[in-house]
């Protein structure tokens, strides 16, 4: 029974031994796919990288040429700054409409139209004065500095003239003449009505606010500084998106191989665990058989001893010499599970070696991935 058990155990261990994963083909296919991805997406990534580096070089050269030692400052949302200008224009128009409505034949509607035109002109002149005038006053080139100063001066004069003209017109609207006649008689001097003074101050305040927004609300105060910095950020965003897509494309074949090899390693571990279970069950069964054999030996020894005792008591002559020797039973091998244990150990060693080959292959693919990324990052 022990021999049959050991023979069946050895047969089951050989039959259920885990198959070794042959992943060399998977590794070779993944390496080839990695090189194909590098060759397919590499030129486009290199072009984006060159564009980004060019933008950085142009920004650095611009900073050096114009002695700019500070980071560019500009809002993330120009629409919000435009909303502030619209709010200022609406505030001036709403307030001015009541000043014009009381002295206008068209009533509130006519006053609102006049106030809306005045506030829009104020905001436009102020924004242009800041964006095209004040920003260029600090420019390094004298030609642009002079042009910016002239533009700012013209905008200031135009704003003063516009608001003074509107205030004087509002002054004349309370006189005995009609609105059209007062429009022809308006001048830049002689303000006496509080409404006219308020209108002039409000217009100038809105103009100053618009000029400040035009100066630094939409872009960096130094001309072209913010534009070049935004170009760098834009190319950087495109480059990062391309880098992420390229990395995912490069990692895809490696992730596929890793998934398959992990499944193979899990199957090997499960098979090896099943072999250990078979061996343990066989060892337990063989131990039970050995216990039965020992009980049989004890019974046989007891029977032989009783026989020798009774035989010696009835014998007239001396007993044979072998009566004094211990009884000898059938020969038992010292370790009946030796070959089964060797088969189990061989399966364990082969499984460990297979998993080491898999880990080494994955590591080599990771090195190839990093080398490919370095080549793409260092491409010109």
């Amino acid at each position: 029974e022990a021999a049959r058990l050991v023979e069946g155990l050895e047969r089951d261990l050989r039959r259920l031994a885990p198959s070794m994963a042959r992943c060399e083909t998977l590794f070779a296919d993944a390496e080839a796919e990695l090189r194909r991805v590098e060759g397919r997406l590499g030129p486009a990534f290199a072009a984006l990288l060159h564009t980004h580096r060019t933008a950085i070089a142009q920004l650095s050269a611009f900073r050096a040429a114009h002695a700019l030692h500070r980071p560019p400052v500009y809002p993330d949302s120009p629409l919000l700054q435009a909303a502030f200008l619209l709010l200022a224009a609406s505030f001036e128009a709403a307030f001015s409409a009541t000043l014009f409505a009381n002295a206008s034949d068209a009533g509130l509607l006519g006053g609102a139209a006049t106030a809306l035109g005045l506030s829009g002109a104020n905001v436009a002149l102020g924004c242009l004065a800041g964006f095209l005038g004040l920003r260029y006053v600090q420019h390094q080139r004298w030609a642009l500095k002079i042009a910016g100063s002239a533009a700012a001066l013209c905008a200031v004069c135009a704003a003063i003239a516009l608001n003074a003209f509107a205030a004087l017109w509002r002054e004349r609207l309370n006189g005995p003449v009609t609105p059209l006649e007062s429009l022809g008689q308006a001048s830049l001097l002689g303000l006496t009505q509080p409404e006219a003074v308020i209108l002039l101050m409000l217009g100038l305040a809105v103009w100053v606010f618009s000029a400040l927004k035009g100066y630094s609300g939409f872009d960096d105060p130094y001309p072209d500084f913010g534009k070049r910095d935004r170009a760098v950020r834009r190319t950087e965003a495109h480059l990062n998106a391309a880098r992420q897509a390229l990395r995912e494309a490069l990692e895809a074949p490696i992730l596929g191989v890793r998934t398959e090899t992990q499944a193979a390693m899990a199957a090997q571990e499960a098979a090896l665990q099943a072999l250990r279970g078979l061996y343990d069950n066989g060892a337990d069964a063989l131990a039970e058989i050995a216990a039965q054999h020992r009980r049989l030996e004890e019974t046989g020894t007891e029977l032989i001893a009783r026989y020798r005792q009774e035989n010696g008591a009835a014998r007239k002559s001396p007993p044979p010499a072998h009566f004094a020797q211990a009884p000898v039973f059938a020969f038992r091998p010292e370790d009946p599970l030796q070959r089964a244990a060797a088969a189990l150990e061989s399966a364990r060693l082969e499984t460990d070696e297979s998993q080491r080959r898999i880990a080494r292959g994955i590591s080599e693919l990771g090195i190839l991935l990093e080398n490919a990324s370095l080549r793409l990052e260092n491409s010109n």
Side-chain angles (χ1 to χ4, degrees):
E1 183 178 357
R4 286 194 302 271
L5 188 148
V6 170
E7 181 181 358
L9 178 60
E10 294 175 358
R11 183 175 60 252
D12 291 340
L13 289 176
R14 289 192 299 268
R15 179 173 57 86
L16 300 177
S19 59
M20 298 301 102
R22 306 299 180 184
C23 299
E24 287 77 8
T25 302
L26 293 176
F27 294 146
D29 292 343
E31 181 178 353
E33 180 63 21
L34 190 148
R35 298 187 185 280
R36 283 194 294 269
V37 171
E38 181 182 0
R40 185 174 69 252
L41 302 181
F45 180 79
L48 288 176
L49 185 61
H50 177 72
T51 302
H52 179 58
R53 289 174 178 173
T54 301
I56 293 177
Q58 290 176 350
L59 178 61
S60 300
F62 183 84
R63 292 170 66 109
H66 296 269
L68 295 171
H69 304 292
R70 61 172 179 83
V73 179
Y74 52 87
D76 294 331
S77 176
L79 291 178
L80 181 61
Q81 308 304 317
F84 286 147
L85 290 179
L86 181 60
L87 182 62
S90 301
F91 175 75
E92 183 186 6
F95 189 80
S96 301
T98 59
L99 299 181
F100 284 109
N102 294 333
S104 176
D105 293 338
L108 184 60
L109 183 60
T114 304
L116 184 61
L118 177 62
S119 62
N122 258 333
V123 169
L125 285 175
C127 188
L128 291 177
F131 193 81
L132 299 179
L134 298 178
R135 294 173 70 243
Y136 285 89
V137 171
Q138 57 181 335
H139 204 279
Q140 291 288 323
R141 296 181 182 177
W142 281 101
L144 294 177
K145 186 189 292 289
I146 294 173
S149 301
L153 182 60
C154 291
V156 169
C157 294
I160 293 175
L162 174 65
N163 287 281
F165 180 80
L168 289 172
W169 184 26
R170 176 63 182 79
E171 178 91 4
R172 296 296 184 91
L173 285 178
N174 287 335
V177 296
T178 63
L180 292 179
E181 293 174 342
S182 67
L183 180 62
Q185 299 174 6
S187 65
L188 299 178
L189 302 174
L191 291 179
T192 59
Q193 296 294 326
E195 292 86 352
V197 176
I198 293 174
L199 184 64
L200 176 61
M201 295 299 103
L202 181 61
L204 292 178
V206 171
W207 181 89
V208 172
F209 177 79
S210 302
L212 291 177
K213 285 298 178 182
Y215 174 71
S216 61
F218 291 90
D219 205 346
D220 187 85
Y222 197 87
D224 293 336
F225 193 21
K227 178 179 69 175
R228 293 181 183 276
D229 184 74
R230 285 193 298 274
V232 172
R233 293 191 179 187
R234 184 170 57 252
T235 56
E236 182 180 9
H238 294 165
L239 181 64
N240 289 337
R243 181 182 288 114
Q244 181 67 23
L246 179 61
R247 184 75 180 189
E248 292 177 356
L250 290 173
E251 289 178 349
I254 300 178
L255 292 177
V257 171
R258 183 174 297 173
T259 301
E260 295 187 25
T261 53
Q262 286 178 348
M265 292 169 65
Q268 290 176 352
E269 288 292 340
L272 190 60
Q273 191 65 28
L275 293 186
R276 291 193 182 99
L278 284 177
Y279 182 84
D280 293 340
N281 293 335
D284 292 341
L286 194 62
E288 178 62 27
I289 293 175
Q292 294 176 6
H293 192 274
R294 284 193 300 271
R295 288 194 294 272
L296 288 176
E297 286 184 351
E298 292 172 356
T299 303
T301 302
E302 182 182 356
L303 290 175
I304 290 174
R306 186 181 303 175
Y307 166 76
R308 288 177 179 179
Q309 182 181 5
E310 294 180 357
N311 184 275
R315 180 182 289 276
K316 300 295 185 182
S317 59
H322 67 270
F323 271 33
Q325 300 175 357
V328 178
F329 293 92
F331 172 76
R332 293 178 300 165
E334 295 183 357
D335 189 2
L337 292 178
Q338 182 177 4
R339 288 185 297 179
L344 179 61
E345 181 66 13
S346 176
R348 186 188 68 80
L349 293 176
E350 290 183 2
T351 300
D352 292 344
E353 178 61 24
S354 176
Q355 294 187 357
R356 280 194 294 270
R357 289 200 307 269
I358 290 174
R360 187 166 54 249
I362 294 294
S363 177
E364 292 174 355
L365 286 178
I367 294 174
L368 291 176
L369 171 63
E370 297 302 327
N371 291 337
S373 298
L374 289 177
R375 283 195 299 270
L376 292 173
E377 291 290 344
N378 297 327
S379 60
N380 297 322

